[in-house]
Amino acid sequence: MVKLTTLSFLVGTAAMQTSQAFVTVPQRAALSTRSLPANNFINAAATDGDNDTAVGVEAVSLAGLGDDHEAVGATMAESVAAWLDAEWMSQEVHVRMGTSVQNTYVACRSKGIEEVAEIMTQVTDDLFERWSEYDADAFVNAWDIGNYVADYLIEKSGSETCGCSTKIVE
């Protein structure tokens, strides 16, 4: 029996054969020119084989972190600094980067932002904007820290992580 997976992208829809739960390379003829979804987001869905029950990617909910954004931000700031210290060596710049992460997280959450990707991007943008304050002593870049923040939020929210996620430092 051939299993098919349907993917909707910004460019249309493709039905592709799967092999061992991985999508194989689609044939050109498999691509459709169906119109874009109204929300312009990438959607992915698959069926679980025999019973055509839809399965998909579960959205990460930050509700489990609670409403005390200052406390979560402070703990995350400490984790960022501890991670950088363990990865490289103890430096004061790591504490300052952690403080920037905390401030961005609190600002995002206070505005009602709950998307991990949006928080990660804002953390990265805020660090990058002021990178001249960190650059001389930092052994990482703003995206390294943004990615750590995303891994941190996903793990602390109780959502499933993958083997490629950075180990969170307590």
Side-chain angles (χ1 to χ4, degrees):
M1 177 176 169
V2 174
K3 293 183 182 180
L4 291 180
T5 299
T6 302
L7 300 174
S8 294
F9 297 99
L10 296 176
V11 295
T13 301
M16 296 173 268
Q17 182 177 346
T18 58
S19 171
Q20 302 297 327
F22 293 98
V23 177
T24 59
V25 177
Q27 298 299 314
R28 198 79 170 144
L31 297 176
S32 159
T33 57
R34 192 175 78 179
S35 62
L36 295 175
N39 62 12
N40 290 328
F41 287 106
I42 295 174
N43 297 316
T47 59
D48 85 2
D50 299 331
N51 62 14
D52 289 336
T53 303
V55 295
V57 178
E58 182 181 325
V60 174
S61 170
L62 298 180
L65 298 176
D67 293 328
D68 190 351
H69 306 316
E70 285 287 342
V72 172
T75 303
M76 186 167 26
E78 291 172 5
S79 180
V80 166
W83 166 64
L84 291 170
D85 287 350
E87 203 62 30
W88 301 100
M89 62 184 195
S90 294
Q91 290 184 262
E92 188 271 333
V93 71
H94 298 159
V95 174
R96 289 189 285 129
M97 286 190 246
T99 300
S100 176
V101 166
Q102 175 183 1
N103 293 340
T104 301
Y105 174 79
V106 171
C108 286
R109 296 292 294 183
S110 297
K111 293 177 190 172
I113 297 171
E114 296 183 6
E115 292 286 326
V116 171
E118 193 169 351
I119 294 169
M120 174 194 74
T121 303
Q122 191 61 54
V123 162
T124 303
D125 289 348
D126 289 352
L127 285 165
F128 186 76
E129 219 172 80
R130 299 174 46 206
W131 196 249
S132 62
E133 298 175 26
Y134 313 116
D135 190 35
D137 297 320
F139 293 103
V140 295
N141 64 43
W143 279 106
D144 294 323
I145 297 168
N147 288 331
Y148 181 85
V149 166
D151 289 341
Y152 179 94
L153 292 173
I154 291 168
E155 182 176 303
K156 295 300 180 180
S157 70
S159 297
E160 185 177 352
T161 61
C162 68
C164 62
S165 296
T166 303
K167 181 168 175 13
I168 303 305
V169 178
E170 300 297 332

